[in-house]
Amino acid sequence: MQKHNFSAGPCVLPQEVLQKASQAILDFDNGLSLIEISHRSKPFVDVMEQARALALELLGLEGKGYKALFLQGGASTQFLMVAQNLLEKRAAYLNTGTWADKAIKEAKIFDDILEVASSKDANYNYIPKGFEIPEDHDYFHCTSNNTIFGTQIKKFPNSPIPMVCDMSSDIFSRTLDFSKFDLIYAGAQKNMGPAGTTLVVVKEDILGKVSRKIPSMLDYKVHIDKSSMFNTPPVFAVYTSMLTLQWLKDLGGIAAIEKENEKKSRLMYSEIDLNPLFKGFAAKEDRSDMNATFTLVNEDLKETFDTMWKDAGINGLNGHRSVGGYRASMYNALSLDSVKVLVEVMSELESKA
Ligand SMILES: Cc1ncc(COP(=O)(O)O)c(C=O)c1O
């Protein structure tokens, strides 16, 4: 039976990427597996260089002073690396959800943090607007897409200080002027590949301005100097990410996938809005194109609905415990057909109820 994978991450990846990646496990270079050759061998160095170049190319950041790195420790390690590398006096953070809150907690280890705005008062169901970013802070940090709550920043502020963004759950999904950002990070396990590597895209000229000593593994400059090969990189995660970036480029890049993502989210939200059995969680103007969060109006229908979507081959639809209900994650590799299947199940429930 065909599966429709709505998981929030790790999540659906393109079938052709999975096929190529599994083939490389068996035979990548003259009968040797990708995971048994040296990471210093030319075939793997080429993979790393291609992955780094593709990331910059897709984001439109080639030749603009940025470096792309594939690091380890998940996006969660970036919560502390950002502060350790950039925070000298004080930094400004926008609190839009669990992940932003965790980033703030880690940064507080290094210094005092200003929360410019927060939507915690409404269980993070909206994106605060109209806040000021103070000019005398070291950087401004935001989270472009709030995976758990299903909200997404649609219009980024013009920051007078370097802007850092956690794009873990919507990188490569929509066109943006990425040069507005000075540092972007994203765990691979949504729109790129398996867990195990984190893409960091950093503008070199924002580095080297803090006075503290930074351990080598946590120092962006060290990783830049060593071309993202300071220590043994997670070769499989980097290779698979490279394949996904190549797949995206062949499709026509971010502009092409954005059109598909818009079709999927439009279909999904129109069903949520038109079907009286369901209610959307996030404020309409801030709805995420990646993660649609919704609940049943009448919880008595839960058992029936859960059986119906599982029988339709749908996987990973349960919402996060802090929101409840359901979350349909519609990352780049999820097809419009999968969304159609879910929407059909929802309207079938309506006709049954
Ligand atoms: C927006 C966002 N930031 C950070 C994280 C944490 O990522 P990791 O598990 O790679 O540390 C996640 C995980 O889902 C996320 O969605």
Side-chain angles (χ1 to χ4, degrees), residues 9 73-77 79 99 143 145-147 166 168-169 187 189-190 198:
S76 301
T77 298
F79 298 161
W99 299 113
T143 311
N145 185 72
N146 299 283
T147 328
D166 174 0
S168 291
S169 52
Q189 66 271 20
K190 280 99 155 83
T198 306

Side-chain angles (χ1 to χ4, degrees), residues 92-147:
Y93 277 69
L94 178 63
N95 189 352
T96 51
T98 308
W99 299 113
D101 206 41
K102 288 189 183 200
I104 292 169
K105 184 169 166 251
E106 295 302 297
K108 278 184 177 165
I109 294 172
F110 297 93
D111 223 315
D112 197 17
I113 295 305
L114 171 74
E115 234 178 72
V116 292
S118 167
S119 49
K120 199 171 185 171
D121 57 337
N123 198 22
Y124 299 113
N125 74 353
Y126 71 101
I127 300 285
K129 295 164 198 82
F131 52 84
E132 293 232 340
I133 303 173
E135 278 179 32
D136 58 351
H137 282 49
D138 298 316
Y139 62 90
F140 166 68
H141 179 284
C142 56
T143 311
S144 56
N145 185 72
N146 299 283
T147 328

Side-chain angles (χ1 to χ4, degrees), residues 70-87:
F70 283 88
L71 305 182
Q72 299 179 62
S76 301
T77 298
Q78 293 311 307
F79 298 161
L80 68 103
M81 269 178 84
V82 162
Q84 203 165 24
N85 283 262
L86 304 179
L87 179 52

Side-chain angles (χ1 to χ4, degrees), residues 207-272:
L207 300 175
K209 298 190 175 157
V210 292
S211 47
R212 75 173 61 83
K213 281 195 171 161
I214 304 172
S216 308
M217 264 302 274
L218 301 173
D219 189 340
Y220 293 125
K221 270 175 159 290
V222 169
H223 290 288
I224 290 172
D225 288 348
K226 299 291 178 189
S227 305
S228 205
M229 291 275 225
F230 171 65
N231 71 323
T232 318
V235 293
F236 182 71
V238 174
Y239 180 64
T240 311
S241 298
M242 186 278 282
L243 292 176
T244 310
L245 297 180
Q246 188 62 57
W247 166 84
L248 181 56
K249 183 180 168 182
D250 294 345
L251 276 182
I254 297 179
I257 205 80
E258 181 178 41
K259 287 201 184 102
E260 292 305 302
N261 289 335
E262 281 169 1
K263 281 187 214 157
K264 290 184 284 179
S265 71
R266 219 177 296 130
L267 179 61
M268 189 67 228
Y269 286 117
S270 73
E271 181 63 24
I272 291 171

Side-chain angles (χ1 to χ4, degrees), residues 287-304:
R287 280 173 164 176
S288 163
D289 287 339
M290 294 282 101
N291 315 94
T293 44
F294 57 101
T295 49
L296 273 165
V297 173
N298 177 359
E299 275 294 310
D300 293 347
L301 292 173
K302 180 172 165 43
E303 215 180 304
T304 314

